[in-house]
Amino acid sequence: MAPHHTPNLLLQAALVSTIHPGQPSANNPTAISEATRYLQSWVECDVSDGMGWAAAAELVASFYPAAGRYGGTSGAGDPGVVERAIIAHHSSGGGGQLSDHLLRTTAGAVRSLLLTLLNSKIRTGSAAGFSPETRLFDGVWSGLLWFDNDHQSAAASTSGEVRLLCATIGALAVRVAGGIPALVQKCNTNGPPCPTPSMALQVLAKIPGEASDCPTRSTADVEADMGPCLGYVLDVMGQVLVDNGGSATNAKLALQVLSNWARPCHVTLTRLANTVAIPSSPDRGSLLDVLVRLLSAPEPSQQPQQTVSLEVLDMAAQALMVSVVKGSDLGTPTRQSVATALLGAIPSRGFLVHPLTVASEAVWEGDECVCSLANLAVTIATEEIDLVVAGAAPGCAELIEILMGLQVHRVQAAAIAPLEAWLAIQDVPLSNRHPSLHQELFARVVQALLVRISYPPDFTSWEEDETDALDRQEFEEMRRLVSDVLTTSYFLLRVGYVEGVIASVAIRQSSWEAVEAALFCLRAVGRDVSDETKKRTEGGIKSAEQLVVMVQQLCSVPLNQQRVCLRKAIAGFLGIYARVFNLYATDSILEVLLYLKACIENGAANDGAKAVRLIMIGCGKSLIRTATQVGSPGDSTVQTGSGNVPAALTAIMDAILTHGEEDSVRLVAEGSTRLCMTMPNSALVRSSLIAVVEPIVRCSGMALEFIQSAQSQQQPDAAQLDSSYRALSCSLCAFKEVCRFCDDHSPPSSNRGDNSNSSHPLAEVLTGVWPLLTGISASPLCRSHYGIMSACLAVHSALLSSAPDLIAPHFAATVTFIVQLYEEQHTPSALDYVAAAVEHFGSTNGGDFGDLTELLAHITRCTTSYLSSRPPLDCPFQIEAYFDACRRYLLFYPRALVACQEFGNTFGLGVACMNECQGNDCRAALLYLAQIIGHKNLRVSTDTTLVLQAASGTIDVLIAQHGEAICKKCVSSLSGAAPQMLCPAYSECLFATLAYLCSVEGGEQLANQLMSASLEDDAKRLTLDTRQRLVSILLGFAKDSTNRRSKPQAKLLLSDYGKLCKGEATPEILQAYSYVAYAG
């Protein structure tokens, strides 16, 4: 039975819930819990509960005296009712006398609690039957008048209780037809009782927000109520702003009202210009004039004490910006005239200029005001872009200067704002711009950005910066956003951009932060400059020459005279311009690489590694050409006098292994290997690779030696052991990259046709590396280290892919190691190796290499046993790797898959995982099932097709066992139960199942039954007719599965089915699929 809600019971419950020191119920959690539940039941009771609303009206009326009291008649309310209830409640518990302060504080807290709950009740339902003239509405209004007249202090008039009353009366007004005009009329009452301007403004400011949050009335209905009230609202604001309302508080409230009402009522600049601020005094100007006056320099007659506060400036800028943005009057002659006058106020009245100066001088306190003024200036520039770029109207040039000043402003948000204006100007053709807004302007913009994106002189690194003088997030956001402006500036300035940036710094004389900023600006346009220099245009050649000179100057400065930030910037610069050096600085490339080696050794390992990779890839041919000399035909030798390329490769690899992390090591290994593969003959390829691998072998050998010695020590040096693990892991990652990019058996210019094992680039390398891999496999400490084993298995997989013939003699031993490791650790990388082995040997050798069938059975048993002891969610990587391996079996060695004793278990495990998993592991299982079920439509070789057709009987049995579960899970997941990322895989699996059923005798009826039953359970919000149409269309696609268009259309249909279930689409969306199915 629902609780009975009365004013007295609600008040008592609020008293119990509002704990204060000495309250009788403070130590009674049961009483507090019961009171809280009672109040919550009042909030959640049915909106038609008249008693609940009546209790609210009576309760609020008891809080505050009736409005008639201020007109000379006695009020029915008693302002002390809550206080007396508190005293009685306190006395009943044996408490002592309460102080006046505690009594007032507790009474306010009780009223605030009940008003907050009343707000929730209004918003969760509809105050049906309560028109604005009802007792509830009048009770709230009486409370506002009571605060307005009996509590004249500013603190009381802006208290939380007043804000709650304003929100409550606004929420009531917007939920009934005619409520907004009635409330505005109350604010406009001239005779007693009437609110003060401050209270009226507070109420008016709440109405738009409450209207936008009201779900029970349409936006059009609410705006229709607000529209007729706008004239009065603007009149009130004009009166307050002209007279300043007697206080800055009133001015801020008036500006807040303007901002809030201007959005829904679409108050344009034209409307502000045509609205007289004080109708009785037209000579006082329009409302727009008032706003411009606030945002301009003070008039000579203005007294010092009348200076506008920063908060008023902030609110005025925000209010004016609302009317400037995308107004409905854009493009009209009136709007153009108003905008021209607004721009003219900049030089004539100091519009924007003066308030920006005042706000900028007030460090910290004026920052928010600076941001608002900056946004206003940018909004005027972008909205009136045609007028501004023409430059004909007074104030246009001054606005550009304001934006230039903001671009270098100390406030980050203010400096970010002008970027939008520069991009808007660049969108305007040069023929439509004033000449001063061509190259000249953007050359200045680039110079301003050079200043603004610079680090502070005393900055070292983000980790060591303890002053908090520079906010990392803001600084990095600034640099990210300026890239677009820099790019557009380059396309306008071309060679002038490069000249201007380089001319702004002198490498040896300029500060390090200026050089770093210049390098950032050059990196931002690196690709575009490289494209231009490749064309060998006059400007491109000139840019390249200046860049080469700059590189030489940068590399000549000792590293110990450069900050780490600058080293990183130089490395990034050298990498991005690799293509320029390849064409214009071929003699200096090796010197650049050696400089990058030094950067790697001095705190810029990651940036240096990226640059090394780019230079080795982009400058490979030039580097080899300058480092080799041609002797007899077909013979080339590495010069010893031009830098010795193999020695440089060894030195760089040694440096990155010592100072870099795994990602950096991979980058250098990739670049080095790709450079080696461009060598002119096989001998040089092999010798260069040996130079690259030599430090890898040496580093990993030393690490392995220490790890093996630590095995016999009771307390090995933990730090040294961790360092050895890291070194070994990095070395293995490097060698894996070497293997990945050595899959080309014959270099491009090789004259040898011998592709035997001895001619493979890795042949000699593997001779030195294989004992190392064997030692790692045999080390107990290495085998117990997950990271080392994963890296070792990755190397084996890379070798299998790049040089399968080379590792053939070791394959049996490797597989034994892989299986043992999987049994011990269930490492996903072990399954990745199995997948790679199946892909190679299953396809190239007819599937006769080793007993891969038994291998699949064994890993299936191991995986099933492993998953039986823990939830599938705890081992997603193992599941994903397992089903990826199963898919390789299906595609490259299907005979081993269907002949495997555990084939049925692989299918069953896939069904189990699709029900339990939620990520990439689930996707892998779904795709495996979809390919097994839909094997008839797989695009595979003829032999594979024949093998799968021969096994169709076994597959039929598996689908008969699991088909229903698959359908139900897929339908349930597609209805919204699964993450969006898995929906394509669920769609794939469901379509494959339905297509298979429709291809067998009697299967179509079964598919219809399964889909109908599944939709009935999981798509209850869809009507029977919609579900039947959905099934009919989907089965139509399934029956025509051989048509290439059927599957994509079916998957799109299932995607829209999810939208239907979520209410994001209507059943009419199925009509288009009906036409497609019919046409198909």
Side-chain angles (χ1 to χ4, degrees):
M1 181 177 177
H4 186 61
H5 301 113
T6 66
N8 185 55
L9 291 176
L10 290 172
L11 181 57
Q12 292 301 317
L15 291 173
V16 173
S17 299
T18 309
I19 301 175
H20 62 79
Q23 181 173 312
S25 60
N27 297 319
N28 189 347
T30 303
I32 295 173
S33 178
E34 292 177 354
T36 302
R37 283 198 298 271
Y38 178 79
L39 292 172
Q40 190 64 27
S41 70
W42 174 60
V43 173
E44 296 174 352
C45 67
D46 194 295
V47 295
S48 61
D49 174 20
M51 182 62 70
W53 290 112
E58 186 174 345
L59 192 64
V60 174
S62 70
F63 287 168
Y64 314 106
R69 174 176 177 179
Y70 300 107
T73 60
S74 60
D78 185 351
V81 64
V82 178
E83 287 82 351
R84 290 201 304 274
I86 293 172
I87 294 171
H89 179 72
H90 188 76
S91 300
S92 65
Q97 184 175 0
L98 293 172
S99 66
D100 290 343
H101 173 72
L102 183 57
L103 183 62
R104 288 195 303 271
T105 302
T106 306
V110 170
R111 289 194 298 267
S112 295
L113 172 61
L114 289 169
L115 286 172
T116 300
L117 295 174
L118 177 59
N119 265 276
S120 298
K121 185 176 179 64
I122 293 171
R123 285 168 173 76
T124 55
S126 172
F130 280 82
S131 66
E133 292 75 32
T134 60
R135 192 178 179 189
L136 176 59
F137 190 97
D138 288 340
V140 177
W141 183 252
S142 296
L144 289 168
L145 294 178
W146 179 61
F147 271 101
D148 210 15
N149 291 273
D150 283 7
H151 296 70
Q152 288 291 334
S153 70
S157 65
T158 58
S159 68
E161 192 170 347
V162 170
R163 289 194 291 271
L164 283 170
L165 286 167
C166 292
T168 303
I169 201 165
L172 286 170
V174 301
R175 280 165 171 76
V176 291
I180 295 176
L183 181 56
V184 172
Q185 182 61 36
K186 279 184 172 291
C187 294
N188 192 24
T189 303
N190 293 322
C194 64
T196 60
S198 175
M199 187 63 72
L201 290 170
Q202 289 187 70
V203 173
L204 292 173
K206 285 289 184 182
I207 293 175
E210 294 295 337
S212 64
D213 294 338
C214 177
T216 58
R217 300 190 67 206
S218 68
T219 303
D221 292 338
V222 174
E223 291 182 357
D225 276 353
M226 294 177 64
C229 306
L230 181 61
Y232 163 71
V233 173
L234 295 179
D235 289 345
V236 170
M237 288 184 296
Q239 182 71 49
V240 171
L241 292 175
V242 169
D243 298 336
N244 200 22
S247 69
T249 301
N250 284 355
K252 289 189 292 184
L253 286 171
L255 292 168
Q256 185 65 59
V257 171
L258 176 58
S259 295
N260 293 353
W261 280 72
R263 290 183 180 90
C265 294
H266 311 294
V267 178
T268 62
L269 271 182
T270 303
R271 177 70 181 266
L272 290 179
N274 293 336
T275 300
V276 178
I278 302 179
S280 59
S281 303
D283 59 319
R284 304 295 290 272
S286 68
L287 198 53
L288 180 60
D289 292 331
V290 174
L291 292 175
V292 172
R293 192 180 308 134
L294 287 174
L295 295 171
S296 300
E299 298 175 358
S301 60
Q302 189 170 342
Q303 299 298 321
Q305 61 269 23
Q306 294 179 312
T307 302
V308 181
S309 68
L310 291 174
E311 291 180 330
V312 172
L313 290 175
D314 186 5
M315 298 294 296
Q318 294 183 41
L320 181 56
M321 188 172 67
V322 174
S323 297
V324 174
V325 175
K326 296 179 180 179
S328 58
D329 59 343
L330 276 174
T332 63
T334 308
R335 167 70 180 240
Q336 187 171 3
S337 174
V338 173
T340 302
L342 193 63
L343 289 170
I346 298 177
S348 64
R349 302 172 62 177
F351 174 60
L352 293 179
V353 178
H354 176 75
L356 272 171
T357 302
V358 172
S360 299
E361 291 174 352
V363 180
W364 300 112
E365 292 86 354
D367 288 0
E368 290 188 8
C369 182
V370 169
C371 293
S372 296
L373 291 166
N375 290 332
L376 174 60
V378 171
T379 302
I380 293 173
T382 53
E383 294 296 317
E384 308 297 336
I385 188 66
D386 293 336
L387 183 63
V388 172
V389 297
C396 294
E398 288 79 1
L399 180 59
I400 297 297
E401 292 305 314
I402 291 175
L403 296 177
M404 288 298 303
L406 289 170
Q407 191 61 81
V408 294
H409 202 281
R410 60 174 177 78
V411 179
Q412 189 81 359
I416 289 175
L419 299 176
E420 182 182 356
W422 308 137
L423 293 174
I425 293 174
Q426 287 283 54
D427 287 338
V428 179
L430 288 174
S431 58
N432 295 340
R433 295 191 225 168
H434 190 272
S436 63
L437 302 185
H438 292 185
Q439 287 86 349
E440 177 187 351
L441 171 65
F442 284 91
R444 292 179 60 201
V445 170
V446 172
Q447 293 300 317
L449 291 176
L450 277 168
V451 175
R452 192 58 187 81
I453 63 173
S454 298
Y455 285 101
D458 57 349
F459 181 84
T460 53
S461 68
W462 294 113
E463 293 74 17
E464 300 176 14
D465 183 28
E466 299 178 354
T467 63
D468 294 331
L470 190 64
D471 185 280
R472 180 173 185 174
Q473 182 177 355
E474 288 186 348
F475 184 80
E476 291 179 347
E477 181 187 12
M478 179 74 183
R479 288 202 160 194
R480 179 178 58 82
L481 294 174
V482 302
S483 296
D484 288 341
V485 177
L486 293 174
T487 301
T488 58
S489 299
Y490 169 74
F491 283 112
L492 178 64
L493 301 172
R494 296 291 181 177
V495 67
Y497 178 98
V498 178
E499 289 178 340
V501 173
I502 294 179
S504 67
V505 294
I507 302 301
R508 292 187 178 274
Q509 287 77 32
S510 297
S511 61
W512 73 268
E513 65 272 13
V515 177
E516 192 279 337
L519 292 174
F520 174 86
C521 291
L522 291 173
R523 290 203 312 273
V525 298
R527 288 184 175 83
D528 302 309
V529 175
S530 298
D531 291 340
E532 185 69 18
T533 58
K534 186 177 180 180
K535 299 174 183 177
R536 295 189 180 273
T537 61
E538 181 180 352
I541 294 174
K542 191 173 182 181
S543 297
E545 291 172 349
Q546 296 191 49
L547 290 169
V548 170
V549 172
M550 187 175 189
V551 169
Q552 294 170 347
Q553 293 176 351
L554 288 171
C555 296
S556 66
V557 179
L559 285 176
N560 57 11
Q561 298 180 15
Q562 297 174 348
R563 296 285 183 97
V564 174
C565 290
L566 181 56
R567 295 174 203 154
K568 294 180 178 180
I570 294 173
F573 167 75
L574 295 175
I576 201 71
Y577 282 99
R579 288 189 292 161
V580 176
F581 307 148
N582 187 46
L583 296 174
Y584 296 91
T586 55
D587 295 336
S588 304
I589 294 175
L590 192 57
E591 296 176 10
V592 170
L593 284 175
L594 295 176
Y595 177 83
L596 291 173
K597 167 189 167 292
C599 289
I600 291 172
E601 295 171 334
N602 289 274
N606 189 51
D607 297 88
K610 292 178 181 177
V612 165
R613 174 186 173 274
L614 291 173
I615 289 178
M616 287 186 174
I617 294 173
C619 305
K621 293 183 179 180
S622 296
L623 186 60
I624 299 303
R625 185 170 59 250
T626 59
T628 58
Q629 60 184 5
V630 179
S632 58
D635 180 33
S636 293
T637 58
V638 177
Q639 278 189 356
T640 58
S642 62
N644 196 339
V645 172
L649 294 176
T650 300
I652 293 173
M653 180 57 68
D654 208 356
I656 198 64
L657 286 171
T658 304
H659 300 279
E661 300 297 329
E662 288 186 6
D663 290 340
S664 302
V665 170
R666 289 191 184 97
L667 293 170
V668 172
E670 177 192 343
S672 300
T673 308
R674 294 174 68 171
L675 174 62
C676 292
M677 298 305 293
T678 63
M679 291 290 179
N681 60 51
S682 299
L684 285 178
V685 169
R686 288 195 294 271
S687 62
S688 299
L689 282 176
I690 290 174
V692 172
V693 173
E694 187 272 328
I696 299 175
V697 174
R698 174 164 35 85
C699 180
S700 55
M702 294 173 58
L704 180 60
E705 182 179 354
F706 181 85
I707 294 171
Q708 289 172 337
S709 65
Q711 180 70 35
S712 59
Q713 301 175 14
Q714 292 183 353
Q715 292 182 340
D717 187 337
Q720 183 65 30
L721 186 60
D722 287 341
S723 177
S724 298
Y725 282 142
R726 174 206 159 275
L728 185 55
S729 178
C730 286
S731 299
L732 291 171
C733 289
F735 188 66
K736 175 198 169 187
E737 294 302 305
V738 172
C739 296
R740 281 185 60 207
F741 293 96
C742 280
D743 53 354
D744 185 6
H745 288 228
S746 55
S749 58
S750 175
N751 296 324
R752 295 179 56 181
D754 180 14
N755 286 333
S756 63
N757 290 352
S758 62
S759 70
H760 194 286
L762 289 175
E764 296 181 35
V765 170
L766 192 59
T767 303
V769 171
W770 194 262
L772 181 66
L773 296 175
T774 304
I776 294 172
S777 305
S779 170
L781 282 179
C782 288
R783 290 182 72 132
S784 63
H785 193 283
Y786 185 87
I788 296 296
M789 283 298 97
S790 296
C792 183
L793 292 174
V795 170
H796 280 294
S797 297
L799 282 171
L800 184 63
S801 299
S802 299
D805 295 335
L806 287 180
I807 60 100
H810 311 284
F811 181 73
T814 304
V815 168
T816 301
F817 161 65
I818 296 292
V819 171
Q820 291 174 352
L821 189 63
Y822 189 66
E823 292 172 346
E824 295 170 7
Q825 297 185 9
H826 294 91
T827 307
S829 300
L831 297 176
D832 294 338
Y833 183 84
V834 172
V838 170
E839 180 174 348
H840 176 75
F841 295 116
S843 58
T844 60
N845 293 334
D848 297 329
F849 196 99
D851 195 358
L852 295 180
T853 303
E854 181 56 34
L855 178 60
L856 175 61
H858 186 71
I859 64 173
T860 299
R861 286 191 289 268
C862 289
T863 304
T864 304
S865 174
Y866 180 69
L867 294 179
S868 65
S869 61
R870 54 188 48 78
L873 291 176
D874 292 346
C875 37
F877 300 111
Q878 288 85 351
I879 294 173
E880 181 183 3
Y882 172 76
F883 284 110
D884 283 343
C886 289
R887 290 174 60 203
R888 300 285 185 92
Y889 268 95
L890 173 64
L891 297 174
F892 298 102
Y893 197 6
R895 185 177 293 105
L897 176 65
V898 298
C900 178
Q901 296 177 354
E902 302 294 330
F903 175 50
N905 288 337
T906 68
F907 195 94
L909 186 60
V911 175
C913 289
M914 70 175 282
N915 282 285
E916 298 292 334
C917 302
Q918 299 178 352
N920 289 331
D921 47 348
C922 181
R923 179 192 284 111
L926 286 166
L927 293 178
Y928 171 65
L929 293 175
Q931 290 183 339
I932 287 288
I933 297 170
H935 65 273
K936 296 180 181 179
N937 295 323
L938 282 180
R939 297 179 184 176
V940 290
S941 65
T942 304
D943 292 341
T944 299
T945 302
L946 293 175
V947 171
L948 293 175
Q949 287 178 353
S952 59
T954 305
I955 298 175
D956 289 343
V957 174
L958 294 173
I959 296 176
Q961 292 176 350
H962 303 286
E964 182 177 359
I966 292 174
C967 284
K968 289 185 68 66
K969 178 60 180 177
C970 289
V971 170
S972 173
S973 300
L974 291 168
S975 65
Q980 186 64 34
M981 59 174 283
L982 293 178
C983 288
Y986 276 112
S987 300
E988 186 91 19
C989 190
L990 179 59
F991 180 78
T993 304
L994 296 177
Y996 182 87
L997 291 174
C998 290
S999 67
V1000 299
E1001 185 176 354
E1004 183 179 351
Q1005 183 178 358
L1006 176 60
N1008 197 325
Q1009 293 173 355
L1010 289 176
M1011 283 298 300
S1012 298
S1014 300
L1015 288 173
E1016 186 175 358
D1017 293 337
D1018 297 297
K1020 295 180 180 179
R1021 70 180 297 161
L1022 304 184
T1023 64
L1024 177 61
D1025 178 63
T1026 300
R1027 295 199 297 268
Q1028 289 176 343
R1029 289 175 59 198
L1030 181 67
V1031 172
S1032 175
I1033 298 171
L1034 186 57
L1035 292 183
F1037 288 132
K1039 288 187 292 184
D1040 193 25
S1041 60
T1042 56
N1043 189 329
R1044 292 186 178 182
R1045 293 184 299 172
S1046 294
K1047 185 195 287 188
Q1049 288 293 327
K1051 293 175 73 173
L1052 190 61
L1053 172 64
L1054 291 171
S1055 174
D1056 287 335
Y1057 158 71
K1059 296 178 183 179
L1060 286 171
C1061 292
K1062 298 173 188 176
E1064 299 174 358
T1066 60
E1068 285 73 17
I1069 199 172
L1070 300 178
Q1071 190 64 40
Y1073 295 101
S1074 301
Y1075 295 141
V1076 173
Y1078 178 78

